[in-house]
Amino acid sequence: MIKRTISGQIDKGDVNHNNREFIASNVDKYRVKDNITIVKDDIRDVYHELFDKALKEFNARQTRKDRIIHDYREHIRHGRQEKEFYEVIFQVGNMEDTPVGSEAAKTATEILREFTEGFIKRNPHIRVFNAVIHLDEATPHVHIDFVPFATGQKRGLPTRNTLSKALEQQGFKGKDKLETNTKMWIEREKQELAAVMLTRGIEWEQLGTHNEHLSVLDYKKQERQKELKDLDSKTKSAEWVLNQREKLLSDIETTIDRLDGEYQEKRNTIESMDTEIATKQSEVEQVNEELNAAADQLAEQQALIAENAGKASQIKDINSIETKKTVFGGKITVSADDYDKVSSLAKKQIAAESHEKKLNEKISTLEQEKAQLTKEKEELQKKNNDQKRSLIF
């Protein structure tokens, strides 16, 4: 009779690996399609199915709000006592006598499928939610992921996640650390697998020690550790890239904020300069108005002076004015008419010349002020144009 070893153990489990959500280095990606999925349920639905009623009863008994559990699965995931789910791996033969693609591997696959279906039926406190036979590695093997549950519990939920209590309710009671209920259960499942093998004419080859026939699983554990390390490396790399992108985005946003601030500051400066230029322009226009007014007044004074000059020509030559001495001394007298003419003309001439002088001084001052204002306006306009060009470039 043909003999084959049996490998079986509890592993920490990785559903994404089992369902090939990512391809590890020891997987033949071209044979992934050959894998056989027996069960594939959403673990969230399984938790609702198993524990919702018990969770409602538990919360109803609580008198303190901090003891109420809102999501039992999250409660287990973040706790330290139990695991969210467990996994067992079983294998018939090894990579030398049962390689994938051989007739022996096809028989082993049939055995594993029948064994898994029986596993689900004979373990009433083990809720299998994912089971897949892998045919894309060296040797056919099955991953069975499950949530254990024990009923009628006095501590915590009346139905709760606990592997030890679940196995006790299935009749497995550990004796000591060397013979725990988990080891007893795995050993019983190996016996069940051996029974299925016998129906195919294959006998369980039990070697002298467990170490020899567990070597394949040790190899698989080593490969799994490599997979997890590789996945962790990829995750860290992705996180690094994400962090770099976030940093770059933050730097860009900071730069944009700074440029926005500079832009707004320049816009404010330009608006201020525009206002100042308008003010200077208004002042220049006011000076121009004053200049024009002074020029008009000057023209009027010059016309008045010219008019007075014409009148002066009508007065007799000074030598022709008759004079005579008074009886009291050397004073000279003129006629009243001549005196009035000379006096009036002299006053007007003096006033006109004085006003003309003041107007010329005012015009000179206004022209200087206009020149200064024009210069200041041109300088402001140049600075303003420079600011506007900086906004464009």
Side-chain angles (χ1 to χ4, degrees), residues 357-374:
K357 181 180 178 182
K358 289 180 179 178
L359 285 173
N360 281 327
E361 290 175 353
K362 183 176 181 180
I363 289 171
S364 177
T365 301
L366 287 172
E367 285 178 345
Q368 291 176 5
E369 186 176 347
K370 177 183 176 182
Q372 181 62 31
L373 287 171
T374 302

Side-chain angles (χ1 to χ4, degrees), residues 90-121:
F90 290 96
Q91 177 174 304
V92 175
N94 56 50
M95 66 181 70
E96 295 177 355
D97 57 30
T98 315
V100 169
S102 65
E103 287 299 319
K106 292 180 182 179
T107 302
T109 301
E110 294 173 0
I111 292 170
L112 290 172
R113 181 197 285 271
E114 183 177 338
F115 164 76
T116 302
E117 292 170 351
F119 179 94
I120 295 170
K121 293 177 181 178

